[in-house]
Amino acid sequence: MTPETLINEVTIEGNLKQFLLVLAVSLTVATLPQIFGWLSKIPYTLLLVIVGLGLAFIDVRLVTLSPKLILLIFLPPLLFEAAWNLEWPKLKRDLVPIALYAILGVVISVAGVAFALNQIAGVSLAIALLVGASISATDPVSVIALFRELGVEKRLALLVEGESLFNDGIAIVAFSFLVGFSLGTDDVGIPILIARFLAFVGIGVVVGSLIGFGVSYLTQPFDLPLVEQSLTLVSAYGTYIIVEELGGSGVIGVVVMGLIFGNFGSRIGMQPSTRLAVTQFWNFLAFFVNSIMFLLIGDQIRFADLGTNLGVIGITVVAMFVTRAIAIFGLGWLSNWLGKSKISLPDQTVIWWGGLRGSVSIALALSVPHVLPDRPKIIAIVFGVVLFTLLVQGLTTKALLEKLGLLGNQELRQEYLQAIAQRVALNRVLKYLSDVSGDRKIEPEFSNHLVSQLQEKLNLLQAEINQMYDQSSELQQMTIDKLEGDLEAIEADTYAEFVRAGQLNELPVSVLQQCFKERHETIVS
């Protein structure tokens, strides 16, 4: 065995041990709320950050976090899973505000934060711009994970998720340009920046579309759940790598590919059971990666560096809040004026406060070239801002949602869904008893008595369901939303059957979506 081979084997073994250690700690944290009930009030993702901070405080470093680890390993599956679950018709309805927030919002954030750091904190313009670019994008990993845990209303969650998914690509191109500006290797000019931006985003959209549609048609002729599940994983990582190699935005590429695959490919190329299996696989993978990601964010904090730069971090946080307020409320007004999709003031308030920063900001800060003398300062400022948004904003978002009446009664919703599940289960039990009632091995007296008991329980359960439904407009709307989703799924699956049979070349336009859209517009007006 050569020395190089021996070194490689030792490295692999060491990395595996580190990975298993991180995973063991993450899963241990997942069980803590079951042991200590009061911990259940803290979202799981934020609890991981707090535990990571505890490890950092005693100087236990599980893994050295690097830009490649975040952007190449962690980000693609999380982006794909979020895009896979986004419904294109609803995303299209809110495309105007999402585009405004994702593009102009990033520009406002970079400019505002850089101005404050340069004029108030005395930080050089080049460094101030890099900090502004690093924290300009709300992070999809942090935002989506938190909002799903809190059970935020669907449209509000879609607005926040949509902004988070698309503004990363904008922030990354701004960051790459500003790195060149700081090093003096790039020409400064609006035309150059616009051309680079269009190429960066365009390559991502084109390649993501080609792979998305290509894999969709590839899976159409066969039904092999494990193969199709594996193809989605390969496609997520493959799209990111190919787009980055071509000089585009891997983030945009994966998001576009995931949207196409989730809304088109899963319909024409997958049976409903396969689609469900793929969704469950990606839900598991997202939980798995999120668990590691949030723990490592807390574990990477260096308290000495934070203390040294505490004043600058404070100025950055204030500037970030002010510029985001200008972006969200100003662009929200513009969106309401331009489009039919209206965003209420409470919704805008949550979008403003819910703009968490996370792994993408950290990856960008760690990507600052070592030749820049102020690199440690940039990293410390960005880590401080990320920590503030995760702990302060993350831990207070639920209270804000409740204050604005946007969270809904989660306890009532769970009670209602539990009663629905029990009703379904009892009906199935009664049907089974009816099917086997002619079996001589079953005593009629026992069977009749059990059926009578179960029917009585079912009647009481139905009365309870009716009472909850009649007294809660939230449950009524939830029932309507579920019915609309089920009906749209039936319609889409029917069209997909015709496509798979070769009787149609493409999916027809949804009739139900237009009906529901007209109904919603009538209600609003």
Side-chain angles (χ1 to χ4, degrees), residues 293-347:
M293 188 70 255
F294 280 92
L295 178 68
L296 293 183
I297 287 176
D299 186 52
Q300 299 300 301
I301 298 296
R302 300 190 179 276
F303 291 97
D305 292 341
L306 293 185
T308 304
N309 296 281
L310 201 57
V312 183
I313 292 172
I315 293 172
T316 308
V317 168
V318 172
M320 178 188 68
F321 275 124
V322 173
T323 54
R324 183 157 177 82
I326 294 171
I328 297 302
F329 295 110
L331 296 175
W333 172 85
L334 180 61
S335 172
N336 289 345
W337 180 69
L338 289 175
K340 296 179 180 178
S341 175
K342 304 295 182 182
I343 306 175
S344 66
L345 187 60
D347 282 355

Side-chain angles (χ1 to χ4, degrees), residues 213-229:
F213 283 114
V215 176
S216 296
Y217 285 113
L218 179 65
T219 59
Q220 186 178 341
F222 55 83
D223 181 36
L224 299 171
L226 292 179
V227 172
E228 295 177 64
Q229 191 170 280

Side-chain angles (χ1 to χ4, degrees), residues 197-273:
F197 167 75
L198 292 176
F200 194 71
V201 174
I203 292 172
V205 172
V206 170
V207 175
S209 299
L210 289 174
I211 294 177
F213 283 114
V215 176
S216 296
Y217 285 113
L218 179 65
T219 59
Q220 186 178 341
F222 55 83
D223 181 36
L224 299 171
L226 292 179
V227 172
E228 295 177 64
Q229 191 170 280
S230 302
L231 267 175
T232 59
L233 185 62
V234 173
S235 298
Y237 280 107
T239 300
Y240 187 90
I241 293 171
I242 292 171
V243 173
E244 288 290 322
E245 287 292 324
L246 293 175
S249 168
V251 171
I252 298 295
V254 174
V255 170
V256 170
M257 190 273 293
L259 277 171
I260 292 171
F261 214 169
N263 289 272
F264 176 75
S266 66
R267 296 296 181 187
I268 70 163
M270 293 182 181
Q271 298 292 339
S273 58

Side-chain angles (χ1 to χ4, degrees), residues 458-513:
L458 188 60
N459 293 337
L460 291 173
L461 194 60
Q462 186 61 56
E464 183 182 343
I465 290 171
N466 292 341
Q467 184 180 8
M468 285 189 286
Y469 181 85
D470 292 337
Q471 294 177 354
S472 172
S473 59
E474 180 186 346
L475 294 181
Q476 295 169 14
Q477 187 59 49
M478 184 182 75
T479 304
I480 292 173
D481 290 342
K482 184 180 183 307
L483 178 61
E484 288 184 358
D486 291 341
L487 294 175
E488 287 179 3
I490 292 171
E491 182 191 30
D493 286 339
T494 303
Y495 294 154
E497 288 176 10
F498 279 82
V499 174
R500 283 195 292 268
Q503 297 174 359
L504 289 175
N505 295 325
E506 58 183 22
L507 294 175
V509 176
S510 172
V511 177
L512 283 177
Q513 286 176 6

